[in-house]
Amino acid sequence: MLEPRDEADLAEIVADAAASGRKLELRGGGTKAAFGAPREAELVSLAGLTGVVDYDPAELVLTVRAGTLLSDVQALVAGEGQMLAFEPWGAAGATIGGTMAAGVAGSRRITAGSARDHLLGLTAVSGRGEVFVAGAKVVKNVTGYDLPKLMAGSWGRIGAMAELTLKVLPAPREVVTLAARGLAPAAAHVAMACALGSNAEVSAAAALADGTVLLRVAGFAPSVAARCAALLGLMAGHGAVERMDTAEAALMWQRAMTGAGLAGSVRWDVHLPARAAAALIAALPEGAEWAMDWGGGRVWVCGEAEDDAVRQMAAGLGGEARLIAAPDAMRARIAAFHPRAKGVAALEARVRRAFDPGGVFVTGRFAEDADADAICA
Amino acid sequence: MSIAMPVPDSATLAKRERIARALRAIVPGEGVIDAPEALTPWESDGLTAYRQPPLLVVLPETTAQVSAVLAWCHAEGVKVVPRGAGTSLSGGALPLADAVLLGLGKFKRVLDIDYEDRVAVVQPGVTNLAITQAVEGRGFYYAPDPSSQIACTIGGNVAENSGGVHCLKYGLTTNNVLGVEIVMMDGEIVRLGGRHLDPGGLDLLGVVVGSEGLLGVVTEVTVRILPRPETARAVLVGFPDAEQAGACVAQVIAEGIIPAGMEMMDRPAIHAAEAFVQVGYPLDVGALLIVEVDGPAAECDFLIGEIARIANANGAVTSRVSDGEAERMAFWAGRKAAFPAVGRISPDYLCMDGTIPRRRLPDVLRRMEELSEEYGLRVANVFHAGDGNLHPLILYDANVPGELDKAEAFGADILRLCVAVGGVLTGEHGVGIEKRDLMPEMFSEADLKQQQRVKCAFDPELLLNPGKVFPVLHRCAELGRMHVHHGALPHPELPRF
């Protein structure tokens, strides 16, 4: 494993690999290494690039090196009463760079935006081994192409981020969870849509297979009290709604946000129009387990079936499914990402080549790597 | 007036009639405009100092027509400039003599509204405000609100990544768009994003938003709509100087409050605005803040109290809370009229659009005052204080020989200053042609090359909106500015900023 100490090292490593035709897999904490097809590639660990470069809470901007632990970043901003509003989560050891490269966003995503919405700027090394900067270190900027958006969720396929500038926001002073019980998936979606469509400013909404619907109300105390009172009235027709104990709520949100506790060796992350979630769930095979987040816009599905039936269902409902975890043989056979339409796949391949003409980051982890070779040959 | 556009291609100019015939075959009837006198209304966008009649104008009505027009132009090597409502302040839709101007004005339909999932699907020629109007009956709205929202279109908003005074809390266009259909220069139609969140694969939607019409022509947009906040209130606070006002802004945010809007004006801007609209701004203060909060009434009451406390702690000398919707609107009226107000006190002005880290505001204002003395030109400042986006207005008289040059040099120094303190060239108006040649102030050659390579992935022949965003030649930096001659704003009927 190659372990650059700084941006210059990193650039040298990539340039050298590009020149000699080697393949590199970028790695943060390695917590998502099982995502994508099994492959053989030389690893480059970014875990050595750590530390805070600049943080001024009143500016709402944090600049940090890519290998800094996500948990350290979260503790740092929490110490100033702030948060990463996209609610990233990960296993112990997850880095901020890896979290951003994977586009990880939690329950608050539905109202606060995703990882990509909070990446303001970056310094990265392209597949040419060139250092480039994109975006900026201020919250409002439209100068040049928004390359940080491309980098968020790119899974290390277009460049190696060395330094990230993130937008941070004040953390709410008070967070209350209201819960309804006994709602089947269709009723749960209607209840969540009702709450999210109200002006009670629900910041997150999720539903579990035991019939629990979770609504999160966050902000300043007088506002939270007023909005909870309004929601109790508004939700009267959607089962008994009551305030949930904080400890229980934390556990329930964790299950909805991460799919934790769902049994099965095959795990799908389905993103679809929220109104289609109940239909997806109704069509799942016997024994499959699920949890809904984002008001129904995300459904975790776990089971044992080693086929792509879930993906086909998601596509039929206007959504898509990514394969998060599965036995090796299945991951070798079924692509991690939902296949893109032909024109989009070709465009993606050309954009990847714009950053990485020699394919130094093409490791076989993703099926579209093969497409890129075919399209750009 | 010294920004050079690419030299027109004589072969294209020579085949103008053939191009018109071919495009008429694709868009019949009135869809192609080529009579020279009929081209005049199309010769400029919101940056009216720059004028150029297009080769001809085509106004398709369907995505299939857009695709056919682009495919034909691609095959023939003819350049294309896309255009929404033409309100760009940076010259993003400036025509070229040898380019077809592709207007999306006929794409005016709201295609679908899904209140349950809170999305609207609209055509690109729908105005920003019309989206809100389409959904407000059910208590929803579309959040980004550029001040030109009664005229600017959502397609143009996508191209420019438009903001508005509420973007600190609600985000720019990019944070509120879920999907687009675009037609690429070779005529291929692709859909990026959709009605669901966070599709896998590269975030091509993210790079198309704000690409200033260089990557593709937007033919459909899916946006998020939000429930309208229960209420909104504003407070008007005066400070002896901008430094104290800036400290107040920093403390409001540090204490965890993200106001819906937070605007600052300096003494010259306050006086100009008050003389123009008489809304009762205090005239004996050095800086004025307008802070707006929205949400449940209980929240607004609480936050107004907190903001008043923080303002007093930072030396506020006057404070007024809006009593009712009419007074809240009045507070904004002066701010929104700041530009025409300055146009009344000076024959001409240049408008800059940089963003700085807010903590550098006192340094930047001090340096700007020094520059003002050095150049012998007055400057008035309006400022999106929450997010650090400055709009210095440089006052000059174009009839005084050399004064425009001085104003431009002053403006260039201000933008260099913004970049030097860690800020950017443009917070919301876009690069266009206006700041094109200043890009090397902010980006290295390697950075710019990387951006240009993305352009090449979408449009390898560089036929779509050429001459914009990227400096054609390495020349002395031009200015980030909006030209205003004798107080004549482009689209004078629109509120600005």
Side-chain angles (χ1 to χ4, degrees):
Chain A
M1 182 145 67
L2 300 163
E3 297 178 339
R5 291 156 302 175
D6 56 27
E7 190 179 291
D9 265 3
L10 178 61
E12 197 174 316
I13 286 168
V14 176
D16 186 52
S20 56
R22 280 150 45 229
K23 304 292 186 190
L24 298 177
E25 176 171 338
L26 303 172
R27 176 164 287 194
T31 61
K32 300 170 186 67
F35 184 68
R39 66 275 171 196
E40 300 278 337
E42 197 169 359
L43 292 174
V44 180
S45 170
L46 295 160
L49 275 61
T50 60
V52 174
V53 178
D54 187 26
Y55 178 35
D56 183 345
E59 296 286 337
L60 303 176
V61 170
L62 166 66
T63 300
V64 64
R65 293 192 189 89
T68 311
L69 291 178
L70 173 63
S71 53
D72 286 351
V73 174
Q74 286 174 317
L76 172 73
V77 298
E80 297 290 341
Q82 296 191 325
M83 63 176 178
L84 300 177
F86 56 104
E87 209 175 355
W89 49 275
T95 63
I96 187 66
T99 301
M100 190 55 73
V104 178
S107 299
R108 209 186 291 106
R109 189 267 171 264
I110 190 170
T111 51
S114 197
R116 51 97 82 176
D117 296 294
H118 296 84
L119 183 61
L120 299 171
L122 53 87
T123 305
V125 175
S126 72
R128 289 181 165 77
E130 283 176 2
V131 176
F132 68 98
V133 304
K137 297 178 178 178
V138 291
V139 293
K140 191 173 179 189
N141 170 38
V142 297
T143 320
Y145 290 150
D146 196 349
L147 301 187
K149 292 276 185 304
L150 269 183
M151 200 66 82
S154 67
W155 286 89
R157 288 176 295 161
I158 59 175
M161 283 184 279
E163 186 182 292
L164 295 77
T165 295
L166 303 163
K167 182 178 181 179
V168 294
L169 284 169
R173 297 293 167 78
E174 194 171 314
V175 181
V176 168
T177 297
L178 297 181
R181 312 269 186 182
L183 297 181
H189 167 254
V190 173
M192 291 189 287
C194 173
L196 288 163
S198 78
N199 58 15
E201 291 175 28
V202 171
S203 62
L208 298 170
D210 68 1
T212 307
V213 167
L214 307 167
L215 304 175
R216 192 188 290 169
V217 185
F220 292 97
S223 173
V224 170
R227 287 183 285 144
C228 284
L231 277 170
L232 290 176
L234 186 72
M235 303 300 291
H238 300 282
V241 180
E242 56 186 25
R243 189 170 168 148
M244 186 180 260
D245 164 75
T246 311
E248 186 188 4
L251 196 69
M252 299 288 253
W253 280 113
Q254 195 64 21
R255 287 171 55 196
M257 184 169 85
T258 67
L262 301 179
S265 59
V266 177
R267 173 176 295 255
W268 295 93
D269 178 8
V270 181
H271 299 191
L272 76 178
R275 61 163 61 251
L280 175 82
I281 290 165
L284 291 178
E286 190 76 16
E289 301 194 357
W290 60 269
M292 271 192 245
D293 200 357
W294 302 351
R298 163 181 260 178
V299 183
W300 296 102
V301 176
C302 284
E304 298 298 343
E306 296 190 17
D307 57 34
D308 68 351
V310 170
R311 175 166 285 167
Q312 301 304 330
M313 281 182 248
L317 293 165
E320 59 178 73
R322 73 186 71 165
L323 184 60
I324 299 296
D328 285 1
M330 181 179 177
R331 289 192 289 123
R333 195 175 74 247
I334 296 178
F337 283 121
H338 201 98
R340 317 239 64 87
K342 191 163 161 281
V344 177
L347 182 56
E348 268 198 27
R350 294 198 301 273
V351 170
R352 282 200 302 273
R353 291 300 163 107
F355 289 84
D356 179 20
V360 67
F361 300 130
V362 176
T363 61
R365 187 178 192 178
F366 300 104
E368 52 276 32
D369 294 348
D371 300 343
D373 287 332
I375 289 161
C376 298
Chain B
M1 297 291 282
S2 45
I3 297 168
M5 297 310 288
V7 177
D9 172 46
S10 54
T12 302
L13 298 177
K15 62 182 179 183
R16 181 169 179 273
E17 280 176 32
R18 192 165 75 79
I19 296 169
R21 272 198 309 279
L23 297 187
R24 271 206 179 91
I26 298 168
V27 187
E30 307 293 304
V32 174
I33 300 169
D34 64 342
E37 67 282 3
L39 294 174
T40 309
W42 302 92
E43 68 182 11
S44 181
D45 61 7
L47 187 70
T48 51
Y50 290 83
R51 292 180 183 276
Q52 169 62 57
L55 183 69
L56 50 81
V57 178
V58 59
L59 302 170
E61 294 181 55
T62 65
T63 299
Q65 287 176 349
V66 173
S67 170
V69 167
L70 289 173
W72 191 88
C73 290
H74 180 252
E76 292 284 329
V78 175
K79 299 168 191 164
V80 174
V81 174
R83 177 185 171 106
T87 59
S88 166
L89 294 170
S90 55
L94 178 74
L96 302 173
D98 60 344
V100 169
L101 188 69
L102 177 63
L104 279 299
K106 293 189 173 175
F107 284 74
K108 283 191 169 310
R109 282 187 301 137
V110 173
L111 299 173
D112 189 30
I113 300 169
D114 182 340
Y115 292 103
E116 225 170 72
D117 280 357
R118 301 168 307 286
V119 300
V121 183
V122 301
Q123 291 190 321
V126 173
T127 65
N128 173 289
L129 188 61
I131 300 176
T132 288
Q133 286 169 339
V135 300
E136 66 189 354
R138 292 278 296 267
F140 288 83
Y141 76 119
Y142 174 63
D145 58 344
S147 296
S148 56
Q149 67 179 159
I150 60 170
C152 66
T153 61
I154 187 65
N157 288 178
V158 168
E160 298 292 317
N161 191 13
S162 306
V165 295
H166 293 105
C167 64
L168 179 65
K169 183 168 177 182
Y170 294 103
L172 300 160
T173 301
T174 189
N175 312 111
N176 289 278
V177 168
L178 294 174
V180 293
E181 176 189 78
I182 63 168
V183 184
M184 292 195 293
M185 189 62 219
D186 63 1
E188 182 164 8
I189 302 162
V190 296
R191 301 186 73 89
L192 306 174
R195 292 192 185 205
H196 60 286
L197 301 173
D198 295 2
L202 291 187
D203 188 0
L204 299 175
L205 170 63
V207 79
V208 163
V209 178
S211 62
E212 305 198 22
L214 272 72
L215 300 185
V217 176
V218 177
T219 47
E220 186 188 295
V221 186
T222 302
V223 300
R224 313 197 285 162
I225 53 173
L226 303 181
R228 175 73 78 183
E230 182 184 312
T231 188
R233 295 177 75 187
V235 55
L236 200 60
V237 198
F239 293 88
D241 61 44
E243 198 156 338
Q244 286 157 303
C248 176
V249 169
Q251 193 180 340
V252 165
I253 289 174
E255 293 208 10
I257 301 169
I258 299 294
M262 188 147 54
E263 296 293 308
M264 193 193 296
M265 299 164 76
D266 70 359
R267 184 188 292 268
I270 298 165
H271 281 251
E274 181 60 19
F276 189 43
V277 292
Q278 292 103 37
V279 286
Y281 285 172
L283 296 175
D284 53 350
V285 297
L288 189 66
L289 278 185
I290 307 171
V291 188
E292 179 162 292
V293 296
D294 64 10
E299 175 169 329
C300 291
D301 291 346
F302 172 75
L303 291 181
I304 289 283
E306 291 290 283
I307 289 162
R309 173 180 62 76
I310 294 166
N312 288 332
N314 284 282
V317 289
T318 68
S319 178
R320 252 172 79 196
V321 180
S322 64
D323 184 13
E325 195 60 8
E327 191 169 52
R328 184 178 73 86
M329 297 312 286
F331 285 4
W332 283 108
R335 168 63 184 84
K336 291 192 171 181
F339 282 48
V342 166
R344 268 173 28 120
I345 61 168
S346 173
D348 302 274
Y349 64 86
L350 296 179
C351 171
M352 320 302 292
D353 170 44
T355 301
I356 58 168
R358 270 185 289 97
R359 63 188 171 200
R360 303 303 302 272
L361 179 67
D363 307 333
V364 169
L365 290 179
R366 257 196 302 277
R367 181 66 193 136
M368 229 189 282
E369 269 176 41
E370 289 168 13
L371 289 168
S372 174
E373 282 183 24
E374 285 170 29
Y375 283 102
L377 294 173
R378 290 178 296 162
V379 61
N381 271 291
V382 294
F383 183 34
H384 299 304
D387 46 31
N389 187 197
L390 285 169
H391 292 311
L393 307 172
I394 300 170
L395 314 189
Y396 73 100
D397 184 349
N399 290 327
V400 176
E403 196 148 299
L404 171 60
D405 293 342
K406 270 204 302 190
E408 288 180 340
F410 186 2
D413 282 348
I414 291 176
L415 282 189
R416 286 190 194 98
L417 180 61
C418 289
V419 174
V421 301
V424 301
L425 296 173
T426 172
E428 60 182 2
H429 295 173
V431 175
I433 59 164
E434 192 199 25
K435 303 166 199 86
R436 182 193 70 195
D437 295 352
L438 276 171
M439 289 287 271
E441 296 281 336
M442 186 167 150
F443 293 113
S444 73
E445 197 168 328
D447 305 338
L448 285 173
K449 276 187 178 163
Q450 191 52 63
Q451 294 187 34
Q452 286 172 7
R453 289 188 191 108
V454 171
K455 160 73 170 172
C456 295
F458 282 78
D459 173 24
E461 288 82 23
L462 306 179
L463 291 172
L464 198 54
N465 217 7
K468 317 289 173 70
V469 181
F470 296 110
V472 180
L473 301 165
H474 269 302
R475 297 187 298 123
C476 289
E478 281 296 334
L479 316 180
R481 66 197 181 229
M482 180 172 80
H483 277 278
V484 177
H485 187 65
H486 292 293
L489 271 172
H491 303 282
E493 74 284 7
L494 301 179
R496 287 292 184 196
F497 322 102

